Amino acid sequence: MNVAMGMVTRSRSRGLVAASQGGGEEPAPPRSREVAAGRKSHRSLKHQRKTERLHVAYEASSGEKGEGAEPLKVPIWAPQDWQQQLANIRTMRSKKDAPVDQLGAEHCYDPSAPPKVQRYQVLLSLMLSSQTKDQVTAGAMQRLLIRGLTVDSILQTDDSTLGKLIYPVGFWKSKVKFIKQTSAILQQHYDGDIPASVAELVALPGVGPKMAHLAMAVAWGTVSGIAVDTHVHRITNRLRWTKRATKTPEETRTALEEWLPRELWGEINGLLVGFGQQTCLPVHPRCQACLNQALCPAAQGL
């Protein structure tokens, strides 16, 4: 049995050598092998052609500079003509003579007081300013400052007296309660100072997002977001600075921060509040005197 296997092996070996040297004839392989080889060769050629036609583009990773590779760009929505509209508002506000320019939160504290006390006074003026004209807020702050406005002095003042001092600010009875509660929290948990984060500020009684962002900007010198009040909310909706109409100032803030360059966030509040006090009034806006009359969608309907 072994001898027979050896003979067959040697016979096949001699046949392969002879075929490679051009001598003798090698028996034809089975038809099935030929067909299989042909199919394999055909599939390989098809795969090669597909590979040659397929072009895959990859986004270059950070720090990687491939030849001819361009990073994928995500389109960012921005309102039409917003840059020209903003430039026109800056021109109209160049005199800085609106009430907010002289009586805003950055003007309602005692500059000679210690920094911690100044920050508390800024927060208090913002709490008083809600639903209240700047002139009325400034008057209330002046009366409080004359008595020495600190956390301790407010906590030692009875509710009735505090109410008389801040009247006639809007919702003055509620604000008496909020001021007392907030002052107690600041004394107990912040050593008489105010928090240095938006999250902690809005957790205080009577402090909303607009006040928190303004407090961060004025008291701490940090731009944490766009401070949106009724003026900013109204004007940006009139100019269509939001993708769709917004119903609340907080919705407006979120919509604006999605596209407005961050370096402009700190400017927008004071700029638009003064513009809303002088020109883009809540009722009967002075469109004839506005440089944006031809660019403002709301003006076209008036």
Side-chain angles (χ1 to χ4, degrees), residues 93 97-104 132-135 229 231 234-235 270-282 286:
R93 291 279 288 114
D97 54 359
V100 70
D101 298 314
Q102 285 81 39
L103 305 171
T132 305
K133 290 184 177 182
D134 288 333
Q135 297 91 325
D229 67 349
H231 291 291
R234 177 181 72 255
I235 293 167
L271 194 67
L272 296 188
V273 168
F275 180 56
Q277 290 174 338
Q278 294 179 312
T279 306
C280 198
L281 306 175
R286 298 167 182 166

Side-chain angles (χ1 to χ4, degrees), residues 180-219:
K180 282 293 192 72
Q181 290 174 343
T182 290
S183 298
I185 292 171
L186 297 182
Q187 185 189 61
Q188 294 167 12
H189 301 286
Y190 296 95
D191 191 29
D193 207 341
I194 71 171
S197 74
V198 171
E200 290 175 290
L201 284 166
V202 296
L204 297 171
V207 178
K210 180 210 76 172
M211 301 177 205
H213 288 300
L214 280 176
M216 290 296 296
V218 178

Side-chain angles (χ1 to χ4, degrees), residues 175-289:
K175 288 177 182 178
V176 167
K177 179 179 66 175
F178 292 147
I179 288 171
K180 282 293 192 72
Q181 290 174 343
T182 290
S183 298
I185 292 171
L186 297 182
Q187 185 189 61
Q188 294 167 12
H189 301 286
Y190 296 95
D191 191 29
D193 207 341
I194 71 171
S197 74
V198 171
E200 290 175 290
L201 284 166
V202 296
L204 297 171
V207 178
K210 180 210 76 172
M211 301 177 205
H213 288 300
L214 280 176
M216 290 296 296
V218 178
W220 292 110
T222 300
V223 177
S224 55
I226 300 173
V228 178
D229 67 349
T230 55
H231 291 291
V232 179
H233 173 64
R234 177 181 72 255
I235 293 167
T236 52
N237 271 274
R238 283 178 176 176
L239 292 173
R240 306 281 170 82
W241 278 16
T242 57
K243 244 182 183 179
R244 56 191 63 84
T246 54
K247 296 181 179 180
T248 66
E250 191 60 10
E251 279 185 34
T252 301
R253 181 189 66 80
T254 302
L256 289 174
E257 289 180 0
E258 287 179 356
W259 68 268
L260 190 69
R262 192 179 181 89
E263 59 268 22
L264 300 176
W265 289 9
E267 176 189 16
I268 289 299
N269 180 268
L271 194 67
L272 296 188
V273 168
F275 180 56
Q277 290 174 338
Q278 294 179 312
T279 306
C280 198
L281 306 175
V283 181
H284 305 304
R286 298 167 182 166
C287 296
Q288 297 296 330

Side-chain angles (χ1 to χ4, degrees), residues 15-76:
L16 289 171
V17 172
S20 65
Q21 292 176 350
E25 290 186 7
E26 172 71 359
R31 182 67 182 169
S32 59
R33 291 185 183 177
E34 203 173 76
V35 172
R39 286 177 181 169
K40 185 176 180 181
S41 174
H42 180 65
R43 283 199 302 270
S44 177
L45 182 59
K46 280 181 68 178
H47 178 72
Q48 184 178 359
R49 286 175 181 168
K50 284 184 179 179
T51 304
E52 288 173 354
R53 289 196 299 267
L54 187 61
H55 298 284
V56 181
Y58 296 95
E59 182 179 2
S61 60
S62 58
E64 186 178 298
K65 297 181 180 178
E67 288 186 14
E70 293 184 3
L72 298 179
K73 295 180 180 178
V74 179
I76 299 176

